Amino acid sequence: MRAAGQGVRSLTRLFGVSALAGALMAGLLVPLAGLAGIGSEQVADSLHALPQTLTSQPPEVRTRILAADGSLIANLYEENRAPVGLNQIAPTMRQAIVAIEDSRFYQHGALDLQGTLRAMIRNRADGTVQGGSSITQQYVKLTLLENARTPAEQRAATALTYQRKLTELRYAIAVEQEYSKDEILARYLNLANFGDGTYGVQAAAQHYYGVNASELTLPEAAMLAGIVKNPSGYDPVTNPVQARNRRDTVLERMLKLGRISVAEANAALRAPVIDLSTVRPLLNGCANSPYPFYCEYVVSKLVDNPALGDTVQERDHNLKTGGLTIQTSLDPRIQAAAQHSIDQHSKPTDNTIAAVTVVEPGTGLVKAMVQSTPYGDGRHETAYNYNVEKSYAGGYGGFQNGSTMKAFTIAAAIQQGIPIDYQINSPPQIDLSGVPFRTCTGRTRVLNYQPKNSTRSGDFTMVDAARFSVNTYFLQLSEKTGLCAPATVAAELGMYNAQTLKPLDQVVSFTLGVGYVTPLMLSNAYATFAARGVYCQPLLITSITDQAGKSIATPGQSCKQVLEPWVADGVNRVLSAVMQPGGTGGNLTFGNWDLAGKTGTINQNLAVWFSGYTPNLAAAAVVADATPPYTNLMNGHKLDGQDITDPTGSGTAGPIWETAMRGALDGMPLEHFVAPPDRVLGSLAGQSSSQTAGPNQNQNQNPNQNGG
């Protein structure tokens, strides 16, 4: 063995580094390999068979989901990596990694022959294959590992064989011909594993020190440079003693090479290895987002986007590795207002669920989405998003929404030329048994149906009936309009059964609440009235860009005029009366805002709603039984830690809506509804909205009916 070592040293002196590296592919490795016990023909054949060019796949890069103001909602990744250019990496970081990993990187070619020969002799002695790799060779190894997509490819990329080392060397020569040293160094620093789940120097700098790679100090750079040799063994969080020793080794090497002064070295040696308070947790996925339910809904929409891949699995992989930037509609200020409302009016330990969604009229932008039960799988936690449909982790798939459906009957009546002063005698109870109601395909009826009012009874205009949520008025009005018209309006405004994803059933009780809807559906439908009949599909994802800033196709804003503006103006006038003194929403008014809305209560108090809007924003709030299968009465349940004795849309869900909207509208310009034409107003023409409701109706309380 000693003789073999002497032979190698003689070769080194004879040829020198550059000449030997240049002659490598001409066959000089054949006799050297012979020293290591490899057949000459085997090596020669291997060299000729090796590919000439390294084809690198784009590295796995984390995807960012951003709020409308650019703040971070969540990172999605399989490897936490954020590539940066060499000019975005501190010079001291570049010096540290070169000093400890390949001090003559800028002097030699693809092969650091001195290190390689030393490693070969060591390997011959102990039977291993390791050491002696230049930064270029390490970059090649990392690239091959990154490109590996199957277990077999991964094993081949890390196999302890000379075949693998020769493959890396051939690729390294090609890399040195294609890229400059600076480019290779930048690529290496963006691929390297820096421990604790971080890949690339930028992600490592942000994780360990809360700074960008361009801001790293000498002791920080030395720490990171030392990690790459053994990412788990030198992890400063879990192995601080070993990490300090390794960092100090890097500093000593930099001093020996003249990269830093004695004073700089001493100062860096005295610095703590890491301040745990600066270590940022690796917040991967929606579970770690400040807005987990909104985030999960966004991700579910992304996984449905064919532009991200042909299959669900491919799209999911691309989301976590493609380095995408997902811009969303979430407004952190409005989200905070909605969260404040939920926090003020409910508790996570309640056995009811409270939820609210806020949408911008005229754009469909979903500005906020909040619920009372926190995200998780523990006690008093849930992964269900009660603001959205069942197909997107929406729990049971919404709740019946009671008299908020009356808005669609109002719109249908106005469409048919029925003015809002249209009067109907509305007794406490009516018998609709066997009465035929027109549908889109024929007629329907109920054999035994005697609905009651839950609020007032008497002679009402449409405005008065909405103000007091008079059931018998709207059942008779829907008999006049037929069921097809309000059902069509509801469908055009995005209302469908959140469990079955089919149109709402055209049944006699349609106007009192039918099927299961969500706060997102209802708030967006009411936003159509606020936007004077312009319906926009709910929009959460406003743009997707790849690493290069190139746009990726995503369903964008989709709006269309589904109601004539004068029809929507008429609905706004009617629902504004709900917010006037004495109306079911009269206790929810604030400021000088033009407000419109509607309460909703479900039979037997399974759920209560309030949905309302201004020209600026629309929101829907619901409080419901939170125990599957969601069929328990809320009487005796708790909300905000208190027993619920008489749940109503106005008194139970209304305050959640009001507090959320107060905060959301703060600072927004004061806008006003447009007055409807006289043909819509009828005898109410010339009167303000505050003058349209009469006070002289009799009261008849029946709380066990869908309605107010």
Side-chain angles (χ1 to χ4, degrees), residues 162-181:
Y162 277 101
Q163 175 68 23
R164 193 259 297 171
K165 295 295 289 186
L166 291 173
T167 300
E168 289 178 4
L169 182 54
R170 184 61 177 261
Y171 278 138
I173 292 170
V175 167
E176 290 267 354
Q177 292 172 343
E178 185 175 359
Y179 302 113
S180 70
K181 288 287 189 178

Side-chain angles (χ1 to χ4, degrees), residues 73 104 112 156 158 195 322 330-331 349 380 482 594 613 706:
I73 291 177
R104 295 184 304 107
D112 179 7
T158 56
L330 185 138
D331 185 322
T349 54
H380 303 304
D594 278 8
Y613 55 95
N706 282 11

Side-chain angles (χ1 to χ4, degrees), residues 542-553:
T542 56
S543 70
I544 306 175
T545 53
D546 62 17
Q547 292 183 65
K550 181 181 178 181
S551 294
I552 295 175

